[in-house]
Amino acid sequence: MSVCFNEKSFNYRLFFFGSLFLICTFFKQVGAQDLKGEEGDFSKPVLVRVEKAKVAQSEKKHFDLIFFSDTVNQSIYYQALLQFDHLDKYRSKKNRREIMFSDGNAATILYSAEELKQKYGRPASPLTKDDDSLIPEVEFQINSSGRLKENLK
């Protein structure tokens, strides 16, 4: 019986088993109690870290998403936020901002302009306001085509 050694196949297997090992190690360290919150309380929001799509070969996180239900399609919210061009209009210069979605299933937390400058060297957008009281109160809604719509309060 001859064994055919294929380097490409070996690399894929090595990658697969290495990834599987890391995932198993992570879940073992997290533990079931940490995943469900204190004393099994599932009513608390589930925080999901979201990364911006790759830009110039680097990932730049500029918002977080919080989901209050585990039955929603999280990728719809993520894609809608990535395609929305005016997030900086609602970004504070010094503080993070939380903006709810009108369906009550999710919220986004926008990082402050100062955080983005510290982490990525990104200058503040001209849309970013220095005074938080000048930032309009808004609620986001995802329309039927998956685009983000602003509802001023």
Side-chain angles (χ1 to χ4, degrees), residues 35-37 41-48 65-70 98 104-107:
L35 290 176
K36 62 183 179 181
D41 183 8
F42 290 99
S43 64
K44 294 183 180 180
V46 178
L47 178 63
V48 178
L65 275 172
I66 301 173
F67 294 98
F68 303 107
S69 170
D70 59 354
E98 182 175 325
N105 289 328

PDB file of all heavy atoms in Angstrom, residues 35-37 41-48 65-70 98 104-107:
ATOM      1  N   LEU A  35     -21.445  31.959  29.136  1.00  0.00           N
ATOM      2  CA  LEU A  35     -22.204  32.185  27.919  1.00  0.00           C
ATOM      3  C   LEU A  35     -23.646  32.572  28.209  1.00  0.00           C
ATOM      4  O   LEU A  35     -24.247  33.321  27.468  1.00  0.00           O
ATOM      5  CB  LEU A  35     -22.190  30.938  27.028  1.00  0.00           C
ATOM      6  CG  LEU A  35     -20.859  30.625  26.376  1.00  0.00           C
ATOM      7  CD1 LEU A  35     -20.959  29.314  25.617  1.00  0.00           C
ATOM      8  CD2 LEU A  35     -20.435  31.738  25.442  1.00  0.00           C
ATOM      9  N   LYS A  36     -24.215  32.089  29.296  1.00  0.00           N
ATOM     10  CA  LYS A  36     -25.625  32.381  29.549  1.00  0.00           C
ATOM     11  C   LYS A  36     -25.832  33.483  30.575  1.00  0.00           C
ATOM     12  O   LYS A  36     -26.944  33.828  30.891  1.00  0.00           O
ATOM     13  CB  LYS A  36     -26.368  31.120  29.968  1.00  0.00           C
ATOM     14  CG  LYS A  36     -25.890  30.487  31.241  1.00  0.00           C
ATOM     15  CD  LYS A  36     -26.666  29.214  31.510  1.00  0.00           C
ATOM     16  CE  LYS A  36     -26.179  28.557  32.786  1.00  0.00           C
ATOM     17  NZ  LYS A  36     -26.868  27.330  33.057  1.00  0.00           N
ATOM     18  N   GLY A  37     -24.792  34.089  31.101  1.00  0.00           N
ATOM     19  CA  GLY A  37     -24.941  35.178  32.056  1.00  0.00           C
ATOM     20  C   GLY A  37     -25.031  34.644  33.463  1.00  0.00           C
ATOM     21  O   GLY A  37     -24.919  33.458  33.721  1.00  0.00           O
ATOM     22  N   ASP A  41     -29.573  33.773  33.376  1.00  0.00           N
ATOM     23  CA  ASP A  41     -30.503  34.812  32.960  1.00  0.00           C
ATOM     24  C   ASP A  41     -30.321  35.124  31.481  1.00  0.00           C
ATOM     25  O   ASP A  41     -29.361  35.738  31.085  1.00  0.00           O
ATOM     26  CB  ASP A  41     -30.260  36.069  33.799  1.00  0.00           C
ATOM     27  CG  ASP A  41     -31.246  37.174  33.470  1.00  0.00           C
ATOM     28  OD1 ASP A  41     -32.198  36.917  32.713  1.00  0.00           O
ATOM     29  OD2 ASP A  41     -31.058  38.291  33.991  1.00  0.00           O
ATOM     30  N   PHE A  42     -31.273  34.678  30.666  1.00  0.00           N
ATOM     31  CA  PHE A  42     -31.192  34.891  29.221  1.00  0.00           C
ATOM     32  C   PHE A  42     -31.846  36.202  28.795  1.00  0.00           C
ATOM     33  O   PHE A  42     -31.906  36.517  27.629  1.00  0.00           O
ATOM     34  CB  PHE A  42     -31.847  33.724  28.467  1.00  0.00           C
ATOM     35  CG  PHE A  42     -31.049  32.463  28.566  1.00  0.00           C
ATOM     36  CD1 PHE A  42     -31.387  31.480  29.469  1.00  0.00           C
ATOM     37  CD2 PHE A  42     -29.937  32.268  27.767  1.00  0.00           C
ATOM     38  CE1 PHE A  42     -30.646  30.317  29.569  1.00  0.00           C
ATOM     39  CE2 PHE A  42     -29.196  31.115  27.855  1.00  0.00           C
ATOM     40  CZ  PHE A  42     -29.540  30.135  28.751  1.00  0.00           C
ATOM     41  N   SER A  43     -32.371  36.973  29.728  1.00  0.00           N
ATOM     42  CA  SER A  43     -33.030  38.229  29.377  1.00  0.00           C
ATOM     43  C   SER A  43     -32.035  39.353  29.129  1.00  0.00           C
ATOM     44  O   SER A  43     -32.393  40.386  28.593  1.00  0.00           O
ATOM     45  CB  SER A  43     -33.991  38.646  30.486  1.00  0.00           C
ATOM     46  OG  SER A  43     -33.259  38.908  31.674  1.00  0.00           O
ATOM     47  N   LYS A  44     -30.768  39.156  29.511  1.00  0.00           N
ATOM     48  CA  LYS A  44     -29.759  40.186  29.308  1.00  0.00           C
ATOM     49  C   LYS A  44     -29.344  40.230  27.846  1.00  0.00           C
ATOM     50  O   LYS A  44     -29.364  39.228  27.160  1.00  0.00           O
ATOM     51  CB  LYS A  44     -28.546  39.913  30.185  1.00  0.00           C
ATOM     52  CG  LYS A  44     -28.862  40.037  31.664  1.00  0.00           C
ATOM     53  CD  LYS A  44     -27.654  39.830  32.495  1.00  0.00           C
ATOM     54  CE  LYS A  44     -28.023  39.967  33.970  1.00  0.00           C
ATOM     55  NZ  LYS A  44     -26.894  39.765  34.831  1.00  0.00           N
ATOM     56  N   PRO A  45     -28.963  41.420  27.356  1.00  0.00           N
ATOM     57  CA  PRO A  45     -28.567  41.523  25.950  1.00  0.00           C
ATOM     58  C   PRO A  45     -27.309  40.722  25.653  1.00  0.00           C
ATOM     59  O   PRO A  45     -26.463  40.521  26.518  1.00  0.00           O
ATOM     60  CB  PRO A  45     -28.317  43.016  25.752  1.00  0.00           C
ATOM     61  CG  PRO A  45     -28.157  43.583  27.109  1.00  0.00           C
ATOM     62  CD  PRO A  45     -28.885  42.683  28.059  1.00  0.00           C
ATOM     63  N   VAL A  46     -27.206  40.290  24.424  1.00  0.00           N
ATOM     64  CA  VAL A  46     -26.035  39.558  23.969  1.00  0.00           C
ATOM     65  C   VAL A  46     -25.160  40.547  23.223  1.00  0.00           C
ATOM     66  O   VAL A  46     -25.592  41.147  22.249  1.00  0.00           O
ATOM     67  CB  VAL A  46     -26.449  38.413  23.014  1.00  0.00           C
ATOM     68  CG1 VAL A  46     -25.233  37.686  22.495  1.00  0.00           C
ATOM     69  CG2 VAL A  46     -27.389  37.466  23.719  1.00  0.00           C
ATOM     70  N   LEU A  47     -23.947  40.763  23.698  1.00  0.00           N
ATOM     71  CA  LEU A  47     -23.032  41.707  23.056  1.00  0.00           C
ATOM     72  C   LEU A  47     -22.224  40.976  22.007  1.00  0.00           C
ATOM     73  O   LEU A  47     -21.612  39.961  22.280  1.00  0.00           O
ATOM     74  CB  LEU A  47     -22.096  42.336  24.088  1.00  0.00           C
ATOM     75  CG  LEU A  47     -21.059  43.310  23.538  1.00  0.00           C
ATOM     76  CD1 LEU A  47     -21.759  44.519  22.915  1.00  0.00           C
ATOM     77  CD2 LEU A  47     -20.126  43.769  24.629  1.00  0.00           C
ATOM     78  N   VAL A  48     -22.253  41.505  20.809  1.00  0.00           N
ATOM     79  CA  VAL A  48     -21.513  40.906  19.704  1.00  0.00           C
ATOM     80  C   VAL A  48     -20.552  41.950  19.170  1.00  0.00           C
ATOM     81  O   VAL A  48     -20.978  43.022  18.748  1.00  0.00           O
ATOM     82  CB  VAL A  48     -22.465  40.451  18.571  1.00  0.00           C
ATOM     83  CG1 VAL A  48     -21.687  39.877  17.411  1.00  0.00           C
ATOM     84  CG2 VAL A  48     -23.455  39.444  19.106  1.00  0.00           C
ATOM     85  N   LEU A  65     -22.288  46.043  18.088  1.00  0.00           N
ATOM     86  CA  LEU A  65     -23.716  45.756  18.008  1.00  0.00           C
ATOM     87  C   LEU A  65     -24.129  44.991  19.255  1.00  0.00           C
ATOM     88  O   LEU A  65     -23.414  44.105  19.700  1.00  0.00           O
ATOM     89  CB  LEU A  65     -24.037  44.899  16.780  1.00  0.00           C
ATOM     90  CG  LEU A  65     -24.252  45.621  15.471  1.00  0.00           C
ATOM     91  CD1 LEU A  65     -24.364  44.634  14.328  1.00  0.00           C
ATOM     92  CD2 LEU A  65     -25.484  46.489  15.522  1.00  0.00           C
ATOM     93  N   ILE A  66     -25.279  45.336  19.791  1.00  0.00           N
ATOM     94  CA  ILE A  66     -25.857  44.606  20.915  1.00  0.00           C
ATOM     95  C   ILE A  66     -27.187  44.042  20.424  1.00  0.00           C
ATOM     96  O   ILE A  66     -28.000  44.780  19.859  1.00  0.00           O
ATOM     97  CB  ILE A  66     -26.123  45.528  22.120  1.00  0.00           C
ATOM     98  CG1 ILE A  66     -24.838  46.181  22.579  1.00  0.00           C
ATOM     99  CG2 ILE A  66     -26.778  44.747  23.251  1.00  0.00           C
ATOM    100  CD1 ILE A  66     -25.054  47.229  23.638  1.00  0.00           C
ATOM    101  N   PHE A  67     -27.399  42.754  20.632  1.00  0.00           N
ATOM    102  CA  PHE A  67     -28.657  42.123  20.238  1.00  0.00           C
ATOM    103  C   PHE A  67     -29.425  41.729  21.487  1.00  0.00           C
ATOM    104  O   PHE A  67     -28.871  41.144  22.406  1.00  0.00           O
ATOM    105  CB  PHE A  67     -28.392  40.900  19.354  1.00  0.00           C
ATOM    106  CG  PHE A  67     -27.790  41.274  18.034  1.00  0.00           C
ATOM    107  CD1 PHE A  67     -26.431  41.196  17.840  1.00  0.00           C
ATOM    108  CD2 PHE A  67     -28.583  41.722  17.003  1.00  0.00           C
ATOM    109  CE1 PHE A  67     -25.868  41.571  16.633  1.00  0.00           C
ATOM    110  CE2 PHE A  67     -28.038  42.084  15.794  1.00  0.00           C
ATOM    111  CZ  PHE A  67     -26.673  42.019  15.604  1.00  0.00           C
ATOM    112  N   PHE A  68     -30.710  42.055  21.514  1.00  0.00           N
ATOM    113  CA  PHE A  68     -31.565  41.746  22.648  1.00  0.00           C
ATOM    114  C   PHE A  68     -32.370  40.477  22.410  1.00  0.00           C
ATOM    115  O   PHE A  68     -33.156  40.073  23.254  1.00  0.00           O
ATOM    116  CB  PHE A  68     -32.495  42.921  22.935  1.00  0.00           C
ATOM    117  CG  PHE A  68     -31.737  44.194  23.187  1.00  0.00           C
ATOM    118  CD1 PHE A  68     -31.724  45.209  22.248  1.00  0.00           C
ATOM    119  CD2 PHE A  68     -31.010  44.365  24.346  1.00  0.00           C
ATOM    120  CE1 PHE A  68     -31.021  46.369  22.460  1.00  0.00           C
ATOM    121  CE2 PHE A  68     -30.286  45.526  24.576  1.00  0.00           C
ATOM    122  CZ  PHE A  68     -30.297  46.533  23.638  1.00  0.00           C
ATOM    123  N   SER A  69     -32.201  39.876  21.250  1.00  0.00           N
ATOM    124  CA  SER A  69     -32.879  38.639  20.907  1.00  0.00           C
ATOM    125  C   SER A  69     -31.907  37.768  20.128  1.00  0.00           C
ATOM    126  O   SER A  69     -31.166  38.267  19.290  1.00  0.00           O
ATOM    127  CB  SER A  69     -34.111  38.940  20.053  1.00  0.00           C
ATOM    128  OG  SER A  69     -34.645  37.755  19.524  1.00  0.00           O
ATOM    129  N   ASP A  70     -31.916  36.493  20.388  1.00  0.00           N
ATOM    130  CA  ASP A  70     -31.018  35.604  19.651  1.00  0.00           C
ATOM    131  C   ASP A  70     -31.685  35.031  18.408  1.00  0.00           C
ATOM    132  O   ASP A  70     -31.116  34.209  17.710  1.00  0.00           O
ATOM    133  CB  ASP A  70     -30.471  34.494  20.544  1.00  0.00           C
ATOM    134  CG  ASP A  70     -31.571  33.639  21.159  1.00  0.00           C
ATOM    135  OD1 ASP A  70     -32.760  33.982  20.987  1.00  0.00           O
ATOM    136  OD2 ASP A  70     -31.247  32.638  21.807  1.00  0.00           O
ATOM    137  N   GLU A  98     -24.899  55.279  22.025  1.00  0.00           N
ATOM    138  CA  GLU A  98     -25.742  54.112  21.772  1.00  0.00           C
ATOM    139  C   GLU A  98     -26.974  54.561  20.996  1.00  0.00           C
ATOM    140  O   GLU A  98     -27.639  55.520  21.366  1.00  0.00           O
ATOM    141  CB  GLU A  98     -26.178  53.464  23.084  1.00  0.00           C
ATOM    142  CG  GLU A  98     -27.012  52.235  22.876  1.00  0.00           C
ATOM    143  CD  GLU A  98     -27.352  51.529  24.172  1.00  0.00           C
ATOM    144  OE1 GLU A  98     -26.532  51.514  25.089  1.00  0.00           O
ATOM    145  OE2 GLU A  98     -28.474  50.994  24.252  1.00  0.00           O
ATOM    146  N   GLY A 104     -36.492  47.236  18.298  1.00  0.00           N
ATOM    147  CA  GLY A 104     -36.176  46.856  19.669  1.00  0.00           C
ATOM    148  C   GLY A 104     -35.307  45.622  19.806  1.00  0.00           C
ATOM    149  O   GLY A 104     -35.012  45.191  20.912  1.00  0.00           O
ATOM    150  N   ASN A 105     -34.857  45.046  18.695  1.00  0.00           N
ATOM    151  CA  ASN A 105     -34.052  43.831  18.739  1.00  0.00           C
ATOM    152  C   ASN A 105     -32.557  44.093  18.871  1.00  0.00           C
ATOM    153  O   ASN A 105     -31.806  43.174  19.181  1.00  0.00           O
ATOM    154  CB  ASN A 105     -34.281  42.989  17.481  1.00  0.00           C
ATOM    155  CG  ASN A 105     -35.651  42.349  17.474  1.00  0.00           C
ATOM    156  OD1 ASN A 105     -36.189  42.008  18.521  1.00  0.00           O
ATOM    157  ND2 ASN A 105     -36.214  42.205  16.299  1.00  0.00           N
ATOM    158  N   ALA A 106     -32.125  45.328  18.590  1.00  0.00           N
ATOM    159  CA  ALA A 106     -30.691  45.592  18.579  1.00  0.00           C
ATOM    160  C   ALA A 106     -30.407  47.062  18.854  1.00  0.00           C
ATOM    161  O   ALA A 106     -31.296  47.913  18.775  1.00  0.00           O
ATOM    162  CB  ALA A 106     -30.096  45.193  17.229  1.00  0.00           C
ATOM    163  N   ALA A 107     -29.143  47.324  19.167  1.00  0.00           N
ATOM    164  CA  ALA A 107     -28.630  48.688  19.319  1.00  0.00           C
ATOM    165  C   ALA A 107     -27.196  48.682  18.827  1.00  0.00           C
ATOM    166  O   ALA A 107     -26.540  47.640  18.812  1.00  0.00           O
ATOM    167  CB  ALA A 107     -28.694  49.136  20.769  1.00  0.00           C
TER     168      ALA A 107
END
